[in-house]
Amino acid sequence: MAVKPLGADKLCLKTEAARLPFESTAALPAPQGPVGQARAMRALAFGARIAQPGYNVFVTGPQGSGKRASVKAALEQLAAGMPTPPDWCYVHNFDAPHRPMSLRLPAGQGTAFKHAMNAFVESLKDALPKLFDSAEYRRRRGAIEDEFRRSVDAALSGVRRDAEKHGLALIERREGGFDFVPQRDGLVLSDDDFRRLAKAERDRLEARSKSLHEELEQVMENLGEVRERAVENVSELDRELSEAEVRRIMSPLAQRYQAHKPAHAYLEAVFQDVMTHLSALVAEARGEGGEDRPQVPYHHYEVNLLVDNAATKGAPVVRLNLPTLSHLIGKVEHVPLLMSIITDFMYIRPGAMHQANGGFLLIDVLELLQQDVSWEAMKRALREASIRIENLAEVLDRSQTVTIQPEPIPLDIKIVLFGEPWLFYRLREVDPDFAELFKVQADFDSSVERNEENCKSLLQLLATVARHDGLKQFDRTGAARILDEAARMAGDAEKITVQSSTLSDLLREADHFAGEAGRSLVSADDVMKAVHAREDRSGRYKALHHELVNRRILFIDTEGSKAGQINGITVLSAPGFAFGMPARITARVRPGDGKVVDIERQVDFSGPTHAKGVQIISGYLNGHYTVSRALSLSASVAFEQSYGPIDGDSASAAELIAILSSIADVPIKQSIAITGSINQHGMIQPIGGANEKIEGFFDVCNARGLSKHNAVIIPKANLVNLMLRDDVVEAVKKGRFAVYAVETVDEAIEILTGMKAGTKRGTGNFPRGTFNRKVADRLIYFARPRILRPIRLDGWWPF
C-alpha cells in the first residue's frame, strides 16, 4: 500500500497576503449583511414580510455568531419602508372608571391630543373666572339683581307707608331684619319720648306694630320666593354662559376630531362630565365654598400617552433585554396616599409589546423562559392578537389589591426569538403552541465556505468593528492571518468561522500588541501574539496534563514498540478552550466466546457512541477473519489512566489495531499515534478535532525531543480539516514529524507495525508473513481447543 506522509503544503491552507487587493482594511466598506448567512436571511425576510398569523421567527445559531446584530440591522432596513404604527392613549372611562379606555390616533397625533386636552383644562380653569368678571356678565346679573331690589323696595314701600300712617317707622336693624318704631314729624322717638306718651297712645302703637309685624312677615315670605327666583335666574345665567364658554373652548377640539369617532365620543363624554360638575366649576371660579366645596375632577380630562410614535420613521424594532411580565406587556402602578394605595388610568405604563406594536420585538428565548409567566403571557397575547395588561399577582391569583383593568389594545407584531438550536427543537417537543406561533426558523451557521466573497465580507465586518471601536486596521499580512485563524477556529481548511464576537476580540487583542510595537496597522505578528497570549491564558489545564506526561505520571510512550498497546488521541476541553492529548490504549486477548469487553463500559465511563464503536470492532473481527466459523475470542480493551467519562468513536481504529496487535503478538510503534473511527468493513471514517489531536501528540513529542519517527495517522477524509500550527508545519518540512492520511485499517496497520497487512486471496486466506495472516492463524489456534475437546458418549472416550 505504501502510504506516504503528507507534504507540508497539505497541512495548512494559507491565505496569500500578496493576493489581497488592498494595502489595509481601512478602505473596506461595511458588509451588506451577515457573512455567509444567505439562507437564514431569506428565512428572516420571509417571516418578517408574510402577513399571516403564527409566522413569528425563531433565530437559531451559536453564541457569538453576530445573529442578533445582523437580524436587528436587517429588520431596521425592512421596517424603514413600512408604515409608521399609530399612537396609543389611555383616557378616563366616565361610564366605568375601573376600565380605562384606549384611544388609537395616527402617528404623532397622540402628543397633539394630550397637549390639546391639557390646554382645555387650563382654559377651563382660566376662562370661567374671566367670564364672571366680564362686563356682559355683570350687566346681565346686575339686571337680575336690580329687578330683585325693585321687587323688594315695592313690597317694603307699602308696609312703610302703612306704618307711617299710624305713627310708626320701618327701620333695618344692624343685626339684620326689620322693625317698627314710633315716630313724630318724620323723627324716631327716643325711649324717653315714647314713655311720655299717653298709655292709650302707647298701647295703640304697640298693637299696630304687632299687626304690622304680621304683615311684614307675609311680605318677607313673599320676598323669599322672589329671592329664590332671582337666585335661580342667576344660576341659570351662570349655567347658560358657562355652558356657552365650555362649548366655545371645546368647539375647536370637537371640529378637529370630528372624523375620529372614538376621540369625538370621548370629547362628548368630557363635555357631559364638565356639565355635571358645572356648579363646582362656578364655585371654584367665584372662590366660594372654601375647602369643603365639591372638587372639579380635572385629572379625568388628562390623557395618558402610552405609545408616542411621533419620532418613529417606519415600523419600530425593539430589543427587550429583561423580559419580565411588566417589561413585556406593561403594568399598572400604584402610589401610596396617606393610609391607602391608589391608582387610575394615568398610572398605566407600556411594555415592550406596546412599543413594538406594528413592528418587530426581539427577545432572547432563554431569558424569556427564565421569567415567571412571561412565556405564557407572550403566547396569550399572540393568540388573542391583543395586549392585556396584567400584574404577576393577578396571574398567579394572589392579588388582594383593588386595581383597574385597562381596555386591551389590538396587537399587530412580529416577535423574533433568539436561541440555540437545541432550544428550538426542545420547545417544539414540549410546547404544542410553539409550532403554531413560531413557524419560521432562521438558522445561522457557525462556519461558512471559505470563498472569496465570504472572506471579503468577513474582512469588511472586522474593518467596521475597528472603525466603530477606534481600533487599528489590518495590513495585508494581518488580514491574511486573521482569515487563517478563522479557518482554524472552524476546524476546516475549506471553511471560516463566522463567530464575529470571537474574531472581534482577537482583533482587539492584536490591536493591543500592535500598539505596544508602535505599529499603525495590525500585522500577522500581532495576530499571532494575540493567539499565543489567548492560549497561554487558557492553558493551565493543558500545562497540567503535559506536566504529568513529562514527569512520567501519565504513561505515554513516544518511542519503541509494544504489542497490544497503542497511542490514541483524545480532545480535552475547558470553557472556551480545547486541546488534544495522547491516551494509552491497551488490549488483552484470550480464547473465548467472541466478545469484546469494553472496560470503560463496564464501569459506566463509556458513552453510547463509544460503546457503539466497540460493537463495530466485533463486527469487523467476525466479518474479516472468521467468516466460516464462530469467533473464539475474548478481548478486553481500555483507556489506561482514564478516570472520567469517555464518549465518541474516534478511538475505535486505535482500539481495533490494539486488539489485532495483541492477537497477532506484533508490536506497534509507540512513536506514532492514530485517530479515526471505523466501520464494519474496515474503512477509516472522519473524526472531529483533527487539528487539536495532531498538535496534541506533536506537543508531547516535541517536549521529549522530536525524532523522524514521530507521526500521527488520521482519516484521509479529514484532509480538508487540516489547518495546523506553523511549528507543526515547519517540523514536517524538516522531516522531524509526519502526518499520514489513511482510508483503511490495513493502511494504518502497515504504518504502525512496518508489516504488510495482507489482502485475502480467492481461497479466503491471507498471504503468509502478513499481519492479517498472523491474526487469522492465532484466531484458528484460539478455536482449536474447542474443536478438539473430548466428547464423552455413553461412558467412553472417543479420543
Side-chain angles (χ1 to χ4, degrees), residues 31-54:
Q32 295 300 311
V35 182
Q37 306 293 350
R39 178 185 292 106
M41 298 310 289
R42 286 195 299 270
L44 176 68
F46 170 76
R49 292 177 184 276
I50 185 171
Q52 295 296 328

Side-chain angles (χ1 to χ4, degrees), residues 13 24 47 65 88 163 213 245 251 278 292 347 363 454 480 486 551 582 607 626 649 703 764:
L13 181 58
S24 78
S65 60
W88 285 97
H213 272 98
E245 186 66 14
S251 179
L278 191 59
D292 295 333
Y347 293 100
I363 313 175
N454 289 337
R551 296 174 62 189
T626 57
D649 61 352

Side-chain angles (χ1 to χ4, degrees), residues 664-693:
D665 197 25
V666 173
I668 296 173
K669 297 175 184 178
Q670 301 301 296
S671 59
I672 302 175
I674 182 173
T675 181
S677 70
I678 61 166
N679 62 23
Q680 294 187 96
H681 298 284
M683 302 298 295
I684 303 291
Q685 301 173 141
I687 43 82
N691 293 305
E692 289 84 354
K693 291 177 177 179

Side-chain angles (χ1 to χ4, degrees), residues 505-763:
D505 286 343
L506 188 58
L507 166 60
R508 295 181 182 97
E509 294 159 18
D511 171 84
H512 166 74
F513 289 108
E516 286 189 340
R519 282 189 281 269
S520 60
L521 295 174
V522 176
S523 68
D525 289 341
D526 301 319
V527 175
M528 287 311 302
K529 285 180 181 178
V531 171
H532 293 155
R534 176 175 292 186
E535 291 177 353
D536 180 64
R537 292 193 300 271
S538 306
R540 190 188 68 83
Y541 189 39
K542 177 181 178 181
L544 176 61
H545 277 75
H546 279 273
E547 179 185 349
L548 295 175
V549 172
N550 294 335
R551 296 174 62 189
R552 310 290 176 171
I553 296 173
L554 281 179
F555 296 157
I556 299 293
D557 292 337
T558 56
E559 58 185 8
S561 300
K562 290 184 180 179
Q565 177 178 306
I566 193 169
N567 286 326
I569 314 177
T570 63
V571 173
L572 304 177
S573 62
F577 183 65
F579 61 95
M581 279 296 294
R584 176 179 288 182
I585 299 172
T586 60
R588 298 298 298 271
V589 298
R590 63 179 178 81
D593 56 0
K595 291 184 178 179
V596 176
V597 177
D598 177 12
I599 294 178
E600 313 299 328
R601 184 69 172 174
Q602 297 299 308
V603 295
D604 294 328
F605 275 3
S606 173
T609 308
H610 181 260
K612 176 186 176 183
V614 173
Q615 295 302 312
I616 288 174
I617 291 173
S618 296
Y620 174 79
L621 292 173
N622 280 295
H624 197 60
Y625 295 106
T626 57
V627 176
S628 60
R629 57 185 178 275
L631 182 65
S632 300
L633 169 73
S634 179
S636 61
V637 63
F639 278 75
E640 302 294 350
Q641 295 182 284
S642 170
Y643 307 107
I646 294 175
D647 201 8
D649 61 352
S650 65
S652 57
E655 290 171 318
L656 171 61
I657 294 172
I659 292 172
L660 295 177
S661 168
S662 185
I663 294 172
D665 197 25
V666 173
I668 296 173
K669 297 175 184 178
Q670 301 301 296
S671 59
I672 302 175
I674 182 173
T675 181
S677 70
I678 61 166
N679 62 23
Q680 294 187 96
H681 298 284
M683 302 298 295
I684 303 291
Q685 301 173 141
I687 43 82
N691 293 305
E692 289 84 354
K693 291 177 177 179
I694 295 171
E695 292 167 359
F697 189 67
F698 172 85
D699 288 339
V700 170
C701 295
N702 192 39
R704 293 180 173 178
L706 287 173
S707 71
K708 61 182 181 180
H709 303 296
N710 293 131
V712 173
I713 301 173
I714 64 169
K716 192 171 184 179
N718 281 116
L719 280 176
V720 295
N721 303 117
L722 295 185
M723 283 295 295
L724 296 175
R725 292 193 319 243
D726 291 347
D727 55 341
V728 180
V729 176
E730 189 63 26
V732 170
K733 284 182 180 179
K734 294 180 178 179
R736 300 176 61 209
F737 192 75
V739 178
Y740 294 91
V742 300
E743 292 184 281
T744 65
V745 172
D746 287 346
E747 291 176 345
I749 287 171
E750 293 188 357
I751 297 169
L752 286 163
T753 64
M755 289 184 65
K756 290 288 186 181
T759 304
K760 274 187 181 181
R761 301 173 181 171
T763 59

